[in-house]
Amino acid sequence: MVETGNHQHHHPTPGHTAGPPPPPPGSHLPMGAAKGPVYPPQEQLTNLHYCIHSNPSWHQTCILGFQHYVVMLGTSVLITNSIVPLMGGNARFIHNIRTIQGSLIVSSFVSIILGFSKGWGNFTRLFSPVVIVPIVSLIGLGLFARGFPQLANCVEIGLPMLVLLVLVQQYAKRLHPRAHPILERYALLLCLGFIWAFAAILTAGGVYNRVKKQTQMSCRTDRSFLISSAPWIKIPYPFQWGSPIFNAGSVFGMMGAALVSSAETTGTFYAAARLSGATPPPAHVLSRSIGWQGISMLLDGLFGTIVGTTASVENVGLLGLTYVGSRRVVQVSTAFMIFFSIFGKFGAFFASIPLPIFAAIYCILYGIVAANGISFIQFTNNNSMRNMYVLGLSLFLGISIPYYFMSYTMAANHGPVNTGGGWFNDILNTIFSSPAMVAMIVGTLLDTTLEARDAAVERGVPWWIPFQRRNGEVRNEEFYSLPLRINEFMPTRFIK
């Protein structure tokens, strides 16, 4: 990827694709040939300001890293607010979290085995761009419930956040050349700070004193006395809730969640690679990554978190929003995450941001990820009815089946799969509640059985195969070699 002196990429000039010379004057042109330029497929996005291995200045890196921390914080608070009340209080809470610990510890080996045995990588070799489109698209679209439905819980701050972010980040940046890079990269922080202050004024003014409890939880900036109850310093340690409890029913359910996490993380990796200016990740990199994710889940279980580890879709969307795909920015954001998790007062301060503000942000970030998935269709024959069939059925069932499973579960307090085997029920109900997982199953099954060999070119297989092999594409080593000379200390079977 060619970069200028300030780490910016040249914008390609759109033009007609190569073809026969134009016909002489007076003759008829082929249909559509004179209606505009044709944009050839691009293996890497070239209009990023900073790609995966180019870096902004340190002060920009720190601000952008902090922005990634804030975006990630919304999901952390949302999960906590949703799950912890269901776990009960005091003794019941401790018992439940110890049960989750045991489930995470056991289920982590599903990801570890799938990853480091290369089993997951071998499975992803079945994918073609036709399959990648619904998988990545539903990574974003499948999270629609975190968007406007959450925003509408406090529309007076959620809707202004959505409108303001669009206006500032997309329109106001065009008013002056100097404002363009600032608003393009930092509009999210600026708008969030402004609307957060507005929400604090409403809270202090007593606007939410006599409203429903649900509205108070969504709108107030002082909900549950979050800041006053947080410790100044708290260092987590293994088994802080007590020894883990291993319950067969919970373990099998979490094993299903580990499979779902592997599928959703894989789709997120494809999106992250494209939005950071890299080539699609090879099979061995996907396998290695799922193995490391299993290690993370094992640590989650040991330290007593209430959820496992998966890739953050909203942070991937932020790469596209800011046009900054620098790896260093993400590395710096982890330092913020570690710092604010230890110094509780500071973390609680930012956790007091009302969730509808985050929901407004997610409306944009999840949309970027979904659109990024659609962009993979450029490597296939868009006019193939066979491809349209696979894409259409994968997308529709990827949304429809999980919606049925989740709505059924909410109404009946158990999933649609309700046989005599509880472990079997837990695994299937978990798997078919994930849009990305359903899209992966349906898309792979159809794409590999419907005239797969005869339609290889239409499916984009010749373009896809080099990126799946370690030595099939010269850029693979550039983007996906391990840092800090880790390759020299690890067995070869774990890194290839």
Side-chain angles (χ1 to χ4, degrees), residues 59-126:
H59 74 275
Q60 292 185 69
T61 296
C62 290
I63 298 174
L64 290 165
F66 178 73
Q67 191 167 239
H68 272 277
Y69 161 74
V70 171
V71 167
M72 179 280 309
L73 186 65
T75 298
S76 300
V77 175
L78 176 63
I79 292 174
T80 303
N81 285 357
S82 301
I83 295 180
V84 171
L86 299 176
M87 296 170 64
N90 300 328
R92 182 178 171 227
F93 173 84
I94 298 297
H95 180 272
N96 286 337
I97 203 167
R98 289 169 59 196
T99 303
I100 292 175
Q101 276 188 267
S103 302
L104 282 172
I105 291 172
V106 175
S107 62
S108 68
F109 289 96
V110 173
S111 297
I112 292 173
I113 294 171
L114 279 177
F116 292 133
S117 69
K118 298 185 180 180
W120 189 257
N122 291 334
F123 170 65
T124 62
R125 292 179 190 275
L126 298 175

Side-chain angles (χ1 to χ4, degrees), residues 7-8 16 41 175 232 236 248 315 338 354 438 446 448 481:
H7 300 292
Q8 295 187 355
H16 292 285
L175 298 179
W232 278 104
N315 288 91
I338 295 172
V438 173
L446 293 175
T448 55
S481 59

Side-chain angles (χ1 to χ4, degrees), residues 4-27:
T4 61
N6 62 349
H7 300 292
Q8 295 187 355
H9 305 293
H10 296 289
H11 293 260
T13 302
H16 292 285
T17 55
S27 62

Side-chain angles (χ1 to χ4, degrees), residues 181-238:
I182 296 174
L183 296 182
E184 190 169 65
R185 296 174 195 172
Y186 312 118
L188 189 150
L189 278 181
L190 295 173
C191 296
L192 186 148
F194 181 81
I195 300 297
W196 186 16
F198 174 63
I201 293 173
L202 294 181
T203 302
V207 173
Y208 303 117
N209 289 348
R210 298 182 179 180
V211 297
K212 297 179 181 178
K213 184 177 180 180
Q214 178 61 41
T215 303
Q216 291 188 24
M217 290 297 296
S218 298
C219 300
R220 297 185 69 96
T221 57
D222 60 353
R223 60 186 186 276
S224 302
F225 303 99
L226 199 61
I227 299 176
S228 60
S229 61
W232 278 104
I233 298 176
K234 180 176 176 60
I235 300 177
Y237 55 90

